Each structure stands twice: as structure tokens, then as C-alpha cells.
């Protein structure tokens, strides 16, 4: 079973990325042959600063490796080291109906946020389809907001297979229902575009200060509280085991437990859970040659697989 996912290097990774996409993808490493890549071609649709793109790409590599990506199991690479995806994107674009792309929420949302409505932004899902199909992926772990893009990929694969013969595996999205949307400080979806994130590897003091700012209702210290409607609890339970989760629920419902206490507990569990990742990240940061070799080696393996699919697709269309 081939598992594949990618993430754009377009800002610092946050807890929404971690619980929505990174942790599920890292857990799937055990279940099959995983491919994970840093989608720097995609990031170009919104990033126009070459130094920043390079730095963010590097940071994403360190973040993933620090959080448990095992390079002996997972093929880890930069998207731009496999230029074959562009040729495949063209072959896919000739069967992609305009209407399919016009219905994509992500394009409309990004334009509404002020990103230029370029052809690249519009054709983004076709490149994403090429990323997925070129490795004959079966499962694509992503957060809920990417589900539509995987459905578009399925439609494109089916259309191509119908017109030219069975070339592509039709993939399935894999979405963690319990963490479908991780809330940010203000209760909206945590997203770098809303300035409501808690960064994975931000400054410890700053992260704590941000946690203390999470929006809650105005119940007083003594009042019993409902964990199910609370943003602090929603984040806490992502880190907690069953015992910790139950204890926090009892505290909420019992009263005499303030949101300040819950926020402190959240800051502590985050700090504790990420301490080993922080240490690992420092080690990796001090060994850039090791990380660079690993990415190059990943790209070589990815390219071999990509070239095989591309050859079949070229043959199928008559090139
Ligand atoms: P952002 O919203 O910060 O721009 P991206 O769109 O780059 O994040 O998302 C990268 C990956 O992380 C995607 O698979 C996305 O679904 C997942 N993701 C991002 N934010 C969240 C969130 N708040 N909850 C769950 N998953 C998320
Ligand atoms: N569009 C994805 C995002 O913004 C990133 C991405 C690009 C991706 N290509 C992919 C995800 C292929 C999964 C599979 O998060």
C-alpha cells in the first residue's frame, strides 16, 4: 500500500498541521510504503520571496524529521527535485474539465484572502493530482480542507483511465475524524492566514503566552464548565491519554477549576510532549549535510517511481 502526502513550505508549521496531517501521516508510516514531500512548487503560488521559500522548505524538513519521520521507512523529498510531475500535470490537464477546478473552495478562499488569481493558483489541484498519481498512491492522509483536492484527483484519474486505459491507481483520502479541524486561539480553524496559531517549534515563552490568550466563555472559577465546547480542552485532548483526558473532564464539570488552570495544563502537556522533538530538531539543525543527503536520496527513490508512471502515461496518450 502506497501512502502519500505533502505539505507546503509557506510559513511555520503549527498544531493544526501537526494533528491534522503530520501525526496521521507519521502513524501511517507503519502501515505501508510512505512518501512525504515538501510542496515547494505549490508554495510558489503564494510565496514571492526566494530566500524565505528556501528557509521555509528547510524548516519543514527539520520539523518533519524532528517529529518522527523515519527516513528508513519513508521516502522524504522536495517536490522540486522531481520535475517529472510537471509533464504529468500537463497530461492530466488535457482531461481536466474547467468546471471541476471552478468548483474548488480552496481557490476561491485564497483569492478572497488576497492571493493573486493566477493560472498557477487555479491549476493548483492539477499539479496536486500529478503529485498523487505519479506515485500510484492508494491513501492520502490530509486535513479536511484538502479532501476536495483528493476528490478532484480521483475524478481526473478516472477520466484519464477511461480515455487512455488503466494507467493510474485511484486514491482515497484519509481524514482523522477526531481531529478534523484543530481550533486556533480564536476558535476558528487554526491557520497561518488567521494569525491564530501555536507554532510547533516557536519560542517557548511566546507559545505559552499565546496559549494563555485562547478564547473561552466568561464562566467564573467556581462554575461547572462544558469541556465539549471549550477550545482549550479541544487542544488538550489531542495531546492527552485517556486518563489525562478523563481527569480534565472531571475538573471542568466539577467547578472550582478555572480556564487559567486548563491553559496551564495545556502549556505543560505541549511542552512535555514536544521536548524530545525539540532536542532532536536541534541535533538535525547542527547536521545540515545529513538532512540534505537524506532529501537527495529520497528524491532519487521518488524519481525512479515517478519516471515509471510517466512513461506509461506518455505511451498511453501516444507520445
Ligand atoms: P494553513 O491553513 O495554516 O495554511 P495548510 O493549508 O498549509 O495550513 O495545511 C497543511 C496541512 O495541514 C493540510 O493537510 C491541512 O489539511 C492540515 N491542516 C492545516 N490546518 C489544520 C487545522 N486547523 N486542522 C486540521 N488540519 C489542518
Ligand atoms: N495542497 C496541500 C496543502 O496545501 C499540499 C499538497 C500538494 C499535497 N500536493 C499534495 C497534499 C499531494 C497531499 C498530496 O496542504
Amino acid at each position: 500500500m502506497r501512502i502519500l502526502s505533502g505539505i507546503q513550505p509557506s510559513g511555520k508549521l503549527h498544531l493544526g498541521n501537526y494533528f491534522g496531517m503530520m501525526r496521521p501521516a507519521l502513524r501511517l508510516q507503519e502501515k505501508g510504503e510512505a512518501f512525504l514531500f515538501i510542496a515547494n512548487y505549490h508554495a510558489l503560488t503564494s510565496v514571492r520571496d526566494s530566500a524565505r521559500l528556501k528557509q521555509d522548505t528547510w524548516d519543514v524538513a527539520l520539523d518533519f524529521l524532528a517529529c518522527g519521520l523515519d527516513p528508513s521507512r519513508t521516502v522524504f523529498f522536495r517536490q522540486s527535485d522531481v520535475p517529472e510531475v510537471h509533464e504529468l500535470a500537463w497530461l492530466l490537464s488535457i482531461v481536466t474539465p474547467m468546471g471541476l477546478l471552478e468548483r474548488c473552495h480552496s481557490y476561491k478562499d485564497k483569492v478572497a484572502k488576497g492571493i493573486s488569481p493566477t493560472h498557477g493558483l487555479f491549476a493548483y489541484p492539477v499539479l496536486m493530482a500529478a503529485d498523487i498519481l505519479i506515485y500510484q498512491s492508494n491513501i492520502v492522509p490530509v486535513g479536511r480542507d484538502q479532501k476536495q483536492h483528493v476528490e478532484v484527483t480521483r475524478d481526473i484519474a478516472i477520466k484519464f483511465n477511461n480515455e487512455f486505459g488503466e494507467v493510474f491507481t485511484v486514491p482515497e483520502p484519509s481524514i482523522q475524524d477526531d481531529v478534523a479541524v484543530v481550533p486556533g486561539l480564536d476558535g476558528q480553524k487554526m491557520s497561518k492566514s488567521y494569525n491564530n496559531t501555536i507554532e510547533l517549534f516557536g519560542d517557548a515563552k511566546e507559545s505559552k503566552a499565546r496559549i494563555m490568550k485562547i478564547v473561552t466563555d466568561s464562566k467564573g472559577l467556581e462554575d461547572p464548565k462544558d469541556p465539549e465546547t471549550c477550545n482549550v480542552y479541544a487542544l488538550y485532548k489531542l495531546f492527552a491519554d485517556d486518563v489525562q483526558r478523563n481527569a480534565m473532564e472531571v475538573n471542568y464539570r466539577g467547578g472550582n477549576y478555572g480556564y487559567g488552570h486548563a491553559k496551564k495544563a495545556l502549556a505543560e502537556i505541549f511542552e512535555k510532549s514536544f521536548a524530545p522533538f525539540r532536542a532532536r530538531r536541534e541535533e538535525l539543525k547542527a547536521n545540515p549535510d545529513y538532512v540534505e543527503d537524506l532529501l537527495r536520496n529520497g528524491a532519487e527513490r521518488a524519481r525512479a517511481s515517478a519516471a515509471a508512471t510517466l512513461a506509461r502515461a506518455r505511451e498511453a496518450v501516444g507520445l
Side-chain angles (χ1 to χ4, degrees):
M1 185 176 71
R2 169 75 41 89
I3 300 142
L4 169 130
S5 196
I7 194 156
Q8 291 190 70
S10 50
K12 303 268 175 263
L13 296 185
H14 52 74
L15 290 178
N17 300 136
Y18 181 71
F19 289 111
M21 181 275 197
M22 296 168 73
R23 190 171 72 172
L26 292 170
R27 284 183 173 164
L28 282 172
Q29 290 185 115
E30 268 116 73
K31 298 245 162 73
E33 195 187 3
F35 276 47
L36 256 170
F37 66 93
I38 308 170
N40 51 355
Y41 283 137
H42 276 113
L44 281 170
T45 56
S46 62
V47 180
R48 288 300 148 71
D49 174 336
S50 57
R52 214 195 98 196
L53 183 64
K54 276 200 179 141
Q55 186 61 46
D56 284 351
T57 303
W58 190 249
D59 282 339
V60 169
L62 296 182
D63 290 357
F64 259 98
L65 290 164
C67 289
L69 185 143
D70 175 354
S72 68
R73 280 175 195 269
T74 297
V75 177
F76 186 42
F77 58 101
R78 281 173 291 240
Q79 186 185 30
S80 59
D81 288 338
V82 189
E84 285 83 355
V85 291
H86 290 292
E87 186 172 351
L88 186 64
W90 178 254
L91 301 185
L92 299 177
S93 76
I94 57 148
V95 297
T96 305
M98 287 293 285
L100 194 62
L101 300 181
E102 279 160 1
R103 283 196 293 278
C104 287
H105 307 300
S106 166
Y107 174 76
K108 290 182 251 181
D109 292 350
K110 285 176 179 171
V111 172
K113 276 187 212 148
I115 298 179
S116 303
T118 57
H119 172 257
L121 193 68
F122 187 68
Y124 182 114
V126 183
L127 181 59
M128 182 157 161
D131 287 328
I132 296 171
L133 300 178
I134 207 162
Y135 305 112
Q136 304 288 352
S137 313
N138 304 98
I139 305 281
V140 185
V142 280
R144 171 146 305 153
D145 59 324
Q146 293 296 317
K147 185 170 178 228
Q148 189 185 32
H149 284 157
V150 182
E151 282 160 0
V152 166
T153 301
R154 289 172 56 85
D155 286 352
I156 295 175
I158 291 167
K159 227 163 174 294
F160 189 100
N161 286 349
N162 281 342
E163 287 198 38
F164 298 110
E166 292 294 312
V167 173
F168 301 116
T169 304
V170 180
E172 300 275 350
S174 157
I175 289 145
Q176 290 278 306
D177 275 329
D178 50 333
V179 290
V181 179
V182 178
L185 304 182
D186 54 358
Q188 288 191 82
K189 178 199 150 185
M190 188 179 287
S191 168
K192 62 181 170 282
S193 346
Y194 303 147
N195 187 27
N196 66 356
T197 63
I198 300 167
E199 287 176 13
L200 298 185
F201 296 102
D203 174 71
K205 259 201 188 145
E206 155 114 21
S207 299
K208 190 159 181 206
R210 287 178 76 83
I211 288 174
M212 298 314 285
K213 278 196 260 175
I214 297 174
V215 173
T216 58
D217 62 27
S218 53
K219 288 206 172 84
L221 177 68
E222 324 70 57
D223 300 327
K225 301 174 179 66
D226 181 4
E228 299 309 328
T229 57
C230 177
N231 296 322
V232 183
Y233 180 75
L235 290 168
Y236 183 83
K237 76 173 183 198
L238 295 169
F239 290 103
D241 60 28
D242 287 347
V243 174
Q244 291 167 318
R245 208 173 307 153
N246 286 339
M248 175 75 89
E249 265 196 63
V250 169
N251 282 334
Y252 264 72
R253 297 195 199 282
N256 277 321
Y257 185 81
Y259 289 120
H261 295 123
K263 289 176 181 177
K264 264 205 186 129
L266 171 61
E268 272 166 31
I269 202 169
F270 171 43
E271 175 65 33
K272 214 168 156 206
S273 317
F274 266 66
F277 299 165
R278 277 184 225 289
R280 172 97 183 106
R281 197 177 188 284
E282 287 307 310
E283 271 172 38
L284 291 160
K285 204 171 154 188
N287 286 294
D289 293 349
Y290 166 78
V291 176
E292 182 59 34
D293 279 355
L294 197 148
L295 289 169
R296 289 202 183 157
N297 179 269
E300 255 173 51
R301 290 162 69 190
R303 258 189 122 163
S305 163
T309 304
L310 183 60
R312 281 173 63 193
R314 284 176 60 103
E315 178 64 30
V317 298
L319 293 176

